Amino acid sequence: MSVSTYPLPAFTQGGGTKVPLIGGATTMLFSLIDTPTLSLSVLPDNSTGGFLVRHGRTRIGRLPQDFREHYPQLEYLAQQGFSPEVTATVSMEENSGIKAILHFPAPGIIIPQNFPPTKPWALLPAGPLRTVDTSSGDSTALPVGASPSQWLATASVLNETVVLSLNDRVVGPLTAADSAAIIEVIKHYEALGLIPIARLFVLAEAVLVALAPVAELSEEALEPQINPLPAIEPYDLHTGQFPVVDAATGTWVVTMGADTAADPLPADPEGNLRPVTSPAMLAMTPTGKPVLVEMAEAAEAAAATDAVVDAAVVDAADAAEPAEPAAVPLLGGNPHTPQPFYSGLRQTEKENGSRHLIWLIPLVLLILVAVALYWYLGQ
């Protein structure tokens, strides 16, 4: 799985630290000794509890577990799908041989306290530290107690002076000398249609930016990466906690003590138990009627229809039974006395009618069975 890098500022003032690499790959470090600015990525190492250090895809060493506990922001970035990228230096020492040092900013400076612009923007190249004159800016531009911290400030030019601002509020200008050193870079970014952004470092004693002069920039620096940092919820400087909701994924993060997570919650046998309601009890049809109610009504309708069909079958069967032959009336009580002609004709018609009715019984039953089957399949 590919992991995007998240470049950290090369700024160690205000509580930053320099950490030596443990278990460094000597051959790899020798190949990097002539690199003036080296960027290494760190990833959580679950086997040792510390961090793995890589150069590209090559593992060159690790960092101890206590360092990981001191920098929860690095693990937070890894949870967001990013690999923190830190500046490092490689040097030769007489007694210890080759040595790599990683330069980490203070924990509160790892992640900016504000989001980057929504329009295309680029970071101004890092360089020497320069002081921002906050006495000439808006005193409400920075929140009280935000130290040490990092902010993404917009750099603009006003009367040939570089001014830093946050949320359209001026933090302060740079000196005339510092403005002259970087003003052409800002104008170049603006000509490219990009918003010039500087990392603003707020310390207890000063507000600083680290910007390189235009005279020291290479051709590559004049073609900056667009939108180099993603929008990540920052570390809370006042509570020392990370946000409980990730803005990107919408997932919740719950933090609790190890004892609470390991021990089950005490049971309360005397407490009132809330009845559990089945989801089927709450399901509704598109018409707004409960599903169970509609199922009961359908069952009652089916039962009533079956009763009607059964009654119809019985009535048809009763009607289909042949009638007993009518007794031939006797005249004078003598059975051998001849009867009138129309009397025999009437008897013959009755016999023929009963015979035709018997043939209709199967047809009627077949029709009733077909009607019942059609209704049943329609339910």
Side-chain angles (χ1 to χ4, degrees):
M1 181 182 68
S2 61
V3 178
S4 301
T5 58
Y6 189 93
L8 304 182
F11 182 82
T12 57
Q13 285 82 348
T17 184
K18 298 180 181 180
V19 186
L21 186 68
I22 300 176
T26 305
T27 304
M28 185 65 183
L29 293 178
F30 265 114
S31 65
L32 300 173
I33 195 171
D34 294 331
T35 305
T37 56
L38 180 64
S39 296
L40 303 178
S41 59
V42 295
L43 291 172
D45 184 7
N46 295 327
S47 61
T48 63
F51 283 103
L52 293 176
V53 180
R54 299 181 179 229
H55 180 260
R57 295 181 176 271
T58 304
R59 174 182 171 180
I60 63 173
R62 59 185 176 85
L63 298 176
Q65 180 179 1
D66 55 353
F67 174 79
R68 180 173 175 178
E69 296 174 352
H70 185 62
Y71 274 87
Q73 296 83 358
L74 299 178
E75 189 164 0
Y76 173 67
L77 287 174
Q79 292 173 355
Q80 302 298 311
F82 299 98
S83 174
E85 194 175 64
V86 61
T87 302
T89 56
V90 180
S91 60
M92 286 290 298
E93 297 187 0
E94 296 181 358
N95 298 328
S96 57
I98 192 168
K99 188 175 183 179
I101 302 294
L102 281 68
H103 304 261
F104 286 93
I109 300 180
I110 293 289
I111 304 173
Q113 290 297 300
N114 61 331
F115 293 127
T118 55
K119 296 181 179 180
W121 64 281
L123 279 174
L124 294 171
L129 292 176
R130 306 177 190 276
T131 303
V132 179
D133 183 11
T134 56
S135 63
S136 301
D138 189 343
S139 60
T140 63
L142 290 172
V144 178
S147 173
S149 61
Q150 176 198 171
W151 301 79
L152 299 178
T154 302
S156 57
V157 178
L158 180 62
N159 297 328
E160 298 302 313
T161 300
V162 175
V163 177
L164 285 306
S165 59
L166 292 174
N167 299 323
D168 297 328
R169 296 182 178 180
V170 176
V171 178
L174 297 181
T175 63
D178 289 337
S179 297
I182 65 173
I183 193 171
E184 294 301 327
V185 185
I186 296 175
K187 291 181 179 180
H188 174 71
Y189 277 29
E190 292 176 342
L192 295 176
L194 302 175
I195 301 176
I197 297 295
R199 294 184 188 260
L200 189 74
F201 305 111
V202 180
L203 305 180
E205 64 278 4
V207 176
L208 307 171
V209 290
L211 300 177
V214 64
E216 299 179 2
L217 296 183
S218 62
E219 293 293 333
E220 183 180 358
L222 296 178
E223 298 180 0
Q225 180 182 354
I226 301 176
N227 302 340
L229 296 178
I232 296 181
E233 289 286 344
Y235 175 81
D236 195 323
L237 298 174
H238 301 286
T239 63
Q241 299 292 332
F242 294 102
V244 296
V245 179
D246 180 7
T249 63
T251 55
W252 285 83
V253 179
V254 179
T255 304
M256 64 179 65
D259 296 337
T260 304
D263 297 335
L265 296 175
D268 185 11
E270 298 180 357
N272 295 327
L273 299 180
R274 180 176 62 84
V276 178
T277 303
S278 170
M281 299 290 291
L282 305 176
M284 305 291 286
T285 64
T287 60
K289 182 182 294 185
V291 171
L292 294 184
V293 174
E294 185 165 307
M295 292 174 62
E297 293 178 353
E300 293 178 0
T305 304
D306 292 341
V308 173
V309 173
D310 293 342
V313 172
V314 172
D315 293 342
D318 292 342
E321 293 181 359
E324 295 182 1
V328 179
L330 299 177
L331 299 177
N334 185 2
H336 300 287
T337 302
Q339 302 296 321
F341 173 75
Y342 67 83
S343 177
L345 182 60
R346 187 183 301 122
Q347 180 68 24
T348 302
E349 290 176 352
K350 290 182 179 180
E351 291 176 357
N352 291 338
S354 299
R355 188 177 299 110
H356 291 317
L357 186 60
I358 292 174
W359 282 102
L360 290 175
I361 292 176
L363 180 59
V364 172
L365 292 177
L366 181 60
I367 293 175
L368 293 175
V369 170
V371 171
L373 182 60
Y374 176 77
W375 177 90
Y376 179 78
L377 294 177
Q379 296 295 320

